[in-house]
Amino acid sequence: MHLNQKAIDKFENDTDKRCIEHGLGYQLLAWSTEVRQNLKIRQWNGANNALDNGGVPIRERYMSPQTIRAVTEGMKMYKN
């Protein structure tokens, strides 16, 4: 699997999803935001598993802050 870029992308994105499902969404959001600010990277290229504002798939290896917010919005444990 580690020789295939799309498989790596999916693995990393699935890891982020599991992190959110286990209640670490806020921590993942903080980490994602911090890394992007410090490295001045908007997003890492990766598998087509996220959508832009127009609903068009974008390549994203690690979930962006926007994707993390979108995933957590629909989950009961993240509602105030």
Side-chain angles (χ1 to χ4, degrees):
M1 178 175 98
H2 289 290
L3 298 176
N4 181 319
Q5 287 295 339
K6 287 187 179 184
I8 294 170
D9 296 343
K10 182 170 176 6
F11 176 81
E12 293 295 346
N13 198 272
D14 287 347
T15 299
D16 288 350
K17 285 179 188 172
R18 282 191 299 278
C19 185
I20 291 169
E21 290 167 356
H22 282 88
L24 297 170
Y26 294 127
Q27 292 84 347
L28 183 63
L29 177 60
W31 173 251
S32 180
T33 302
E34 178 80 15
V35 168
R36 282 165 173 76
Q37 287 174 350
N38 287 334
L39 297 179
K40 297 176 180 30
I41 296 173
R42 187 170 158 258
Q43 78 177 42
W44 280 274
N45 290 335
N48 292 331
N49 47 20
L51 302 176
D52 69 7
N53 291 339
V56 177
I58 57 173
R59 293 176 59 85
E60 184 176 70
R61 176 168 286 181
Y62 304 103
M63 285 189 183
S64 68
Q66 296 84 357
T67 302
I68 295 167
R69 284 186 200 99
V71 172
T72 57
E73 276 179 11
M75 300 180 80
K76 186 177 181 178
M77 75 173 79
Y78 294 103
K79 299 212 186 240
N80 291 332

